[in-house]
Amino acid sequence: MIRIAMTSVYVDDEEKAHAFYTDVLGFETRTNLDLGEARFITVAAPGQDVELLLEPGDSPVAEEYRKGLREAGLPCIVLGVDDLGAEHERLSGLGVRFTQPPTGQGPVLTAVLDDTVGNLIQLAQPLG
């Protein structure tokens, strides 16, 4: 069976992204290797196998991709939550800037936040 092992987000600053995704969002570090010009940093939700690679976003392709997503107001990734209201309150209390407050969208409740390193991230809670 094929399964998702890792996906990535392009980031402006790997160390700042690492701090945000662990200290603020609550992920745990799985890999943090110094590769010389860059680091190989992956994080994951505690107890889950899928890792998120914090990929350097300074290539022309990555810059164009991220610019296009931001200009369109589109998130680069969707993260699931059990209680969006509680997460919105917790993250807002930590100074996280939301570009979309919790909003019903059919069978899900969503919110969009700025990850401080160039991306919009959507949080989603299934309803019902």
Side-chain angles (χ1 to χ4, degrees):
M1 171 181 19
I2 297 174
R3 63 182 175 82
I4 298 170
M6 183 183 302
T7 189
S8 64
V9 294
Y10 293 115
V11 299
D12 291 340
D13 179 318
E14 294 162 284
E15 292 303 322
K16 184 176 178 184
H18 184 233
F20 182 83
Y21 281 80
T22 56
D23 298 342
V24 177
L25 295 185
F27 289 119
E28 60 188 23
T29 303
R30 295 290 173 86
T31 309
N32 190 346
L33 299 173
D34 186 352
L35 301 177
E37 291 183 20
R39 301 194 67 78
F40 185 85
I41 302 172
T42 66
V43 297
Q48 293 195 345
D49 292 334
V50 178
E51 295 183 30
L52 182 63
L53 173 63
L54 305 176
E55 184 88 37
D58 56 357
S59 74
V61 171
E63 288 176 359
E64 191 65 30
Y65 170 75
R66 291 180 9 178
K67 178 183 173 191
L69 285 177
R70 284 207 61 112
E71 287 176 356
L74 298 173
C76 70
I77 194 166
V78 178
L79 304 175
V81 296
D82 294 326
D83 184 340
L84 184 56
E87 284 299 329
H88 181 261
E89 185 175 323
R90 180 183 77 82
L91 294 170
S92 293
L94 293 172
V96 173
R97 185 177 73 82
F98 281 81
T99 62
Q100 177 204 307
T103 305
Q105 295 186 344
V108 296
L109 186 62
T110 66
V112 178
L113 62 89
D114 185 326
D115 77 351
T116 74
V117 287
N119 301 296
L120 298 176
I121 305 294
Q122 186 176 64
L123 301 180
Q125 173 191 339
L127 298 174

